[in-house]
Amino acid sequence: MANFDLMRQLAKPEGGKMILLILDGLGGLPLEVDGLTELESATTPNLDRLAREGSNGLSIPIALGIEPGSGPGHLALFGYDPLFFDVGRGALEAAGAGLDLREGDVVARGNFATIDQNGLISDRRAGRISTEQGEKACASLAEITLPGVELTVKEVKEHRFAIRLRGQGLDPRILDTDPLEVGKAPLSAEPMSEAKNDPAAQHTAALINAFLEQARVKLASHHPANFANLRGFAGDPALPKFQDVYKLNAACVAVYPMYQGVSRLVGMDVIETTAHDTPLDEFQRVEANWDKYDFFFVHIKYTDSRGEDGKFAEKAAVIEQVDAALPALLDLQPDVLCVSGDHSTPAKLMSHSFHPVPTLIWAPQRHMRDRVTSFGEREALAGALGQFSATDLMPLLLAHAGRLARYGA
Amino acid sequence: MANFDLMRQLAKPEGGKMILLILDGLGGLPLEVDGLTELESATTPNLDRLAREGSNGLSIPIALGIEPGSGPGHLALFGYDPLFFDVGRGALEAAGAGLDLREGDVVARGNFATIDQNGLISDRRAGRISTEQGEKACASLAEITLPGVELTVKEVKEHRFAIRLRGQGLDPRILDTDPLEVGKAPLSAEPMSEAKNDPAAQHTAALINAFLEQARVKLASHHPANFANLRGFAGDPALPKFQDVYKLNAACVAVYPMYQGVSRLVGMDVIETTAHDTPLDEFQRVEANWDKYDFFFVHIKYTDSRGEDGKFAEKAAVIEQVDAALPALLDLQPDVLCVSGDHSTPAKLMSHSFHPVPTLIWAPQRHMRDRVTSFGEREALAGALGQFSATDLMPLLLAHAGRLARYGA
């Protein structure tokens, strides 16, 4: 993990301007024994030039052999060891849904469900209603009022949504209300055993039960989404913030709410995007905000999506699309441009994987040029950065930007 | 160290079948400045093919610069940081002698010694009697009876043996009875100072003293092995078990009791072998048990023995013998085949050494082919696995077998 005490001590509020360009699930595997990976087979003249001029290596997201989820993968890239910072699922889901989280808030993941005339659950996913239906059901839930707290309800996707309670004296140590089986009645909210005598937890459970009671009424007309189960209650994970730890005024450019959410949790501003933004659109948003921030996290989703779909050529095509748009970033003359991924998603496996992720740091003032001649998994093995823990990336980037003071005399 | 909490959380009980083939003391050194190592000079078409197709790297057994003993070397390969899991010498010796260890047992290493007519030690190794003489002396010791405990005595080699007490209320915190100098009388067993008021330690010391008193009588006719000193009292190290941590049903195929012992301590079944098994014999024992286990640890001893003897060509010949037998393992179509060593034993040094150990992982579904063209120390430096801690090997192997769930969402 980035040593936050050391970063707080050494990070300077001035220095070079930085771009961290993350191609989600960048790393891949060859389909055939003699084959190339997606990245190796893509035609990427711009990335190849950066790799040739700069330093290359491979990032180990969590630990050797561990396949990361997207949340932990990004926390690691930002310097937060996901094995240490246990960010509750509710917090990631809520952040992912675009709900910001402050100290004292309680969030949870919600699933719309179907209950029968006896009040027993007949479908835990409400027949996987469409996102449009989910949005309508969320709008009804948002009409619920609870004494002394502000309630926010946000659709995530299909039957999934997130809620946030904001107010005084709340505690997230609440058990899931989802009985996890059909044919059972939904559970009442109860404090966890460790918190069962805690007034804040009791108060929060009572509020959740009041919410569920009103939800039954509000959702009656939304069959099959005529009830809701809640789980993964979580508070603000209280992650150290980029401004505090790294002295960085940082912004996120990402299309998916999940990545915007994680960015918010570490103190980045989120620059508005649309769901249809191309890589070039995203880069132009960086350009439009170039003077306002020291650090830009730019997230490209579709490398991962195509990998998950098992579409090797299409994943390579996304990489080519990014490469073609890259001059828009280079024209900004960043002092540090890093291209990496949060994990590998080989089309061959149709899944995230444990494989280390090719990474380049291009920073003409400070990079050590190595003998790598193109951007790719096997070339990077010979690079100046070696194989390193993803949580060491931020100190490396700050160093390349001249933003870290000397340690000791 | 493999993060056991994480492994317990992520390891799946299903997935690919795995073989970990350990050539003891595999790593070597060139004899001449321009020379090759034992492994590099051996003709190994099968290992070279696996290296060419798979991922290569170098395993660091304990820490940079540290020369491992066989016990710690294997614990590390199995994922147990030997700096954290302090397995008493008595436990390794007993396990090595084939004594299994259960909670509550007390074991110790024994040395036959010679005492003179005044009861003073004249030879702490009893003239290094033969193993056959040692076995006879052990048979006499095994006739000793102690109240309320079951005594087991097992010859190790020459003047060395191991004992085990099994019963209620025992404590291994007992000082060595070996005075470590000739011309002195053997010591009585005493509790360690930290345990001197502990009834179980006092009881155990009394049992050991009763054992030593009877040993003097039983061994009188075995001159020069007419007495015995005991040291390294130890209990069950209570290592987490493979089944619990990795969800693996694992078996050991090894010729030497020491390696069978360490395997037992981590919860593997030990498949019966003979002292004369060749590598091919060992591989055929894997074949005979192929359907019964998920994971096979196969141990080849003689690479280390020839290295310790300083016999460079003979060590290379053992490697060639393994290579020639390898099709017997490949015919089983394992999902993961890893070839490595517990440490280096360069013939040049006639000793274990600190040098990282060449390692290949061949797992066609998931390995990243690198640019390594043959199996060897210098080639492995360019490999996809880099240099890694031996304790990370098990997570890597599980990952290559598709046996680890994703970490986080």
Side-chain angles (χ1 to χ4, degrees):
Chain A
M1 173 164 87
N3 182 324
F4 286 161
D5 287 340
L6 200 55
M7 290 295 106
R8 281 193 186 90
Q9 180 189 334
L10 302 182
K12 298 189 284 190
E14 70 281 349
K17 286 181 85 102
M18 308 154 74
I19 300 173
L20 173 60
L21 172 59
I22 295 302
L23 278 66
D24 204 301
L26 174 61
L29 282 173
L31 293 180
E32 285 158 27
V33 70
D34 290 324
L36 301 174
T37 67
E38 296 91 323
L39 175 58
E40 290 169 347
S41 68
T43 301
T44 54
N46 291 305
L47 289 167
D48 290 347
R49 173 173 78 81
L50 298 179
R52 209 159 46 237
E53 294 180 7
S55 293
N56 297 266
L58 293 148
S59 157
I60 299 164
I62 313 287
L64 287 176
I66 305 302
E67 171 191 326
S70 297
H74 276 80
L75 285 174
L77 282 174
F78 297 155
Y80 302 72
D81 184 349
L83 300 177
F84 179 82
F85 290 104
D86 184 18
V87 179
R89 284 295 297 263
L92 283 174
E93 193 93 354
L99 289 176
D100 81 310
L101 220 75
R102 297 192 202 147
E103 200 182 332
D105 290 353
V106 168
V107 291
R109 309 158 67 194
N111 279 358
F112 290 112
T114 312
I115 50 175
D116 64 20
Q117 63 275 30
N118 302 314
L120 305 180
I121 293 173
S122 59
D123 188 334
R124 289 180 52 245
R125 297 183 184 83
R128 290 193 183 272
I129 50 168
S130 69
T131 300
E132 290 67 30
Q133 287 173 286
E135 278 169 357
K136 284 178 195 156
C138 280
S140 289
L141 287 181
E143 295 165 5
I144 291 172
T145 56
L146 296 171
V149 298
E150 179 195 327
L151 169 72
T152 309
V153 183
K154 197 104 183 236
E155 169 71 4
V156 174
K157 196 179 175 188
E158 299 169 353
H159 60 287
R160 289 160 48 212
F161 64 96
I163 68 164
R164 182 186 65 203
L165 304 189
R166 176 165 285 171
Q168 297 297 312
L170 300 177
D171 191 307
R173 289 176 294 171
I174 305 295
L175 293 167
D176 295 351
T177 69
D178 187 341
L180 299 175
E181 276 182 54
V182 297
K184 294 206 169 176
L187 303 173
S188 293
E190 301 281 354
M192 291 178 179
S193 62
E194 70 192 62
K196 70 170 189 282
N197 297 316
D198 185 301
Q202 292 168 343
H203 171 58
T204 309
L207 287 168
I208 296 295
N209 287 325
F211 170 83
L212 293 171
E213 198 172 315
Q214 295 183 58
R216 198 180 287 255
V217 178
K218 295 281 183 191
L219 294 175
S221 60
H222 289 279
H223 192 280
N226 65 353
F227 196 62
N229 288 312
L230 299 176
R231 48 188 183 142
F233 289 90
D236 178 7
L239 298 176
K241 300 297 185 271
F242 262 46
Q243 181 63 48
D244 169 42
V245 175
Y246 301 132
K247 307 286 190 299
L248 285 177
N249 190 15
C252 157
V253 177
V255 169
Y256 269 46
M258 161 79 199
Y259 308 97
Q260 299 175 334
V262 178
S263 301
R264 271 200 200 93
L265 291 178
V266 299
M268 293 189 203
D269 282 355
V270 171
I271 293 172
E272 202 176 317
T273 56
T274 76
H276 308 295
D277 271 13
T278 64
L280 182 59
D281 293 331
E282 290 190 67
F283 296 171
Q284 286 170 344
R285 296 188 193 277
V286 174
E287 186 186 355
N289 291 275
W290 186 242
D291 292 337
K292 294 190 211 149
Y293 297 97
D294 311 311
F295 179 97
F296 291 83
F297 158 58
V298 186
H299 181 265
I300 306 289
K301 177 64 186 172
Y302 297 102
T303 28
D304 178 59
S305 312
R306 296 299 93 79
E308 294 253 15
D309 294 343
K311 296 191 180 300
F312 186 101
E314 288 82 347
K315 181 178 167 190
V318 176
I319 297 170
E320 292 182 350
Q321 191 187 12
V322 170
D323 188 84
L326 211 54
L329 288 185
L330 292 170
D331 286 349
L332 300 170
Q333 299 186 286
D335 298 288
V336 178
L337 172 57
C338 173
V339 186
S340 185
D342 54 340
H343 53 74
S344 294
T345 307
K348 174 177 176 176
L349 301 180
M350 300 182 69
S351 165
H352 295 194
S353 79
F354 63 88
H355 299 86
V357 188
T359 302
L360 72 82
I361 297 179
W362 183 83
Q365 275 304 305
R366 291 184 178 78
H367 63 217
M368 168 62 81
R369 182 175 187 175
D370 51 35
R371 292 169 179 173
V372 168
T373 59
S374 62
F375 191 39
E377 288 83 350
R378 271 75 71 94
E379 276 289 309
L381 284 170
L385 302 175
Q387 300 203 34
F388 59 91
S389 167
T391 57
D392 283 329
L393 185 64
M394 283 301 301
L396 277 171
L397 297 185
L398 291 167
H400 279 82
R403 287 179 165 269
L404 292 182
R406 178 179 299 178
Y407 178 73
Chain B
M1 173 164 89
N3 183 325
F4 284 160
D5 287 339
L6 199 56
M7 289 296 105
R8 281 194 186 89
Q9 179 189 334
L10 301 182
K12 299 189 281 190
E14 69 282 349
K17 285 182 87 103
M18 308 154 75
I19 300 173
L20 173 61
L21 172 59
I22 295 302
L23 279 66
D24 203 300
L26 174 62
L29 283 173
L31 294 178
E32 286 157 29
V33 70
D34 291 324
L36 300 174
T37 67
E38 297 90 323
L39 175 58
E40 288 168 346
S41 68
T43 301
T44 54
N46 292 304
L47 289 168
D48 291 346
R49 174 172 77 82
L50 298 179
R52 209 158 46 237
E53 293 181 8
S55 293
N56 298 266
L58 292 148
S59 156
I60 300 165
I62 313 287
L64 288 175
I66 305 303
E67 171 191 325
S70 297
H74 276 80
L75 286 173
L77 281 174
F78 297 154
Y80 302 72
D81 184 350
L83 301 177
F84 179 81
F85 289 102
D86 184 17
V87 178
R89 284 296 299 262
L92 284 173
E93 194 91 357
L99 290 175
D100 80 310
L101 220 74
R102 297 190 203 149
E103 201 183 331
D105 290 352
V106 168
V107 292
R109 310 158 65 194
N111 280 358
F112 290 113
T114 312
I115 51 173
D116 63 20
Q117 62 276 32
N118 302 314
L120 305 180
I121 292 172
S122 59
D123 186 333
R124 290 180 51 245
R125 295 184 186 84
R128 289 192 183 274
I129 52 168
S130 70
T131 300
E132 289 68 28
Q133 288 175 283
E135 278 170 357
K136 285 178 194 157
C138 280
S140 290
L141 288 181
E143 295 166 5
I144 292 172
T145 56
L146 297 171
V149 298
E150 178 194 328
L151 169 72
T152 309
V153 183
K154 196 105 184 232
E155 169 71 2
V156 175
K157 195 179 176 189
E158 301 170 352
H159 60 286
R160 289 160 47 213
F161 65 96
I163 67 165
R164 182 187 65 202
L165 304 190
R166 176 166 286 171
Q168 299 296 312
L170 301 176
D171 191 307
R173 288 176 295 170
I174 305 293
L175 293 167
D176 295 351
T177 69
D178 187 340
L180 298 176
E181 275 182 53
V182 297
K184 293 204 169 175
L187 304 173
S188 292
E190 302 280 351
M192 292 178 178
S193 62
E194 71 191 64
K196 70 171 188 282
N197 297 317
D198 184 300
Q202 291 168 344
H203 171 58
T204 308
L207 287 168
I208 296 296
N209 287 325
F211 171 83
L212 292 171
E213 200 173 314
Q214 293 183 60
R216 198 181 288 254
V217 178
K218 295 282 183 193
L219 294 175
S221 61
H222 288 277
H223 191 281
N226 65 350
F227 197 61
N229 288 313
L230 299 175
R231 47 188 182 140
F233 289 90
D236 178 7
L239 297 176
K241 301 296 185 271
F242 262 46
Q243 181 64 48
D244 170 42
V245 174
Y246 301 131
K247 307 284 189 299
L248 284 177
N249 190 15
C252 157
V253 176
V255 169
Y256 271 45
M258 161 79 201
Y259 308 97
Q260 299 177 335
V262 178
S263 301
R264 270 199 201 94
L265 291 179
V266 299
M268 293 188 204
D269 281 355
V270 172
I271 292 173
E272 201 176 319
T273 57
T274 76
H276 309 294
D277 271 13
T278 64
L280 182 58
D281 292 332
E282 291 190 66
F283 296 170
Q284 286 168 345
R285 294 187 195 279
V286 174
E287 186 186 354
N289 291 276
W290 185 241
D291 293 337
K292 294 190 210 148
Y293 299 96
D294 312 310
F295 179 96
F296 291 84
F297 158 58
V298 186
H299 182 264
I300 306 290
K301 177 63 185 171
Y302 297 103
T303 28
D304 179 58
S305 313
R306 297 298 94 78
E308 293 253 16
D309 295 343
K311 296 190 181 302
F312 186 101
E314 288 82 347
K315 182 178 167 190
V318 176
I319 296 169
E320 292 181 350
Q321 191 186 13
V322 171
D323 189 84
L326 212 53
L329 288 185
L330 292 170
D331 286 350
L332 299 170
Q333 299 184 284
D335 297 288
V336 178
L337 173 56
C338 173
V339 186
S340 185
D342 54 339
H343 53 74
S344 295
T345 307
K348 175 178 175 176
L349 301 180
M350 301 181 67
S351 166
H352 295 195
S353 78
F354 63 89
H355 300 86
V357 187
T359 302
L360 72 82
I361 297 178
W362 182 84
Q365 273 305 304
R366 291 183 178 80
H367 63 217
M368 169 63 82
R369 182 177 187 173
D370 51 38
R371 290 169 180 172
V372 168
T373 59
S374 62
F375 191 40
E377 289 82 350
R378 271 77 68 95
E379 277 289 312
L381 285 171
L385 302 175
Q387 300 202 34
F388 59 92
S389 168
T391 56
D392 282 327
L393 186 63
M394 284 300 302
L396 276 172
L397 297 185
L398 291 167
H400 279 84
R403 286 179 167 268
L404 293 181
R406 182 177 297 184
Y407 178 73

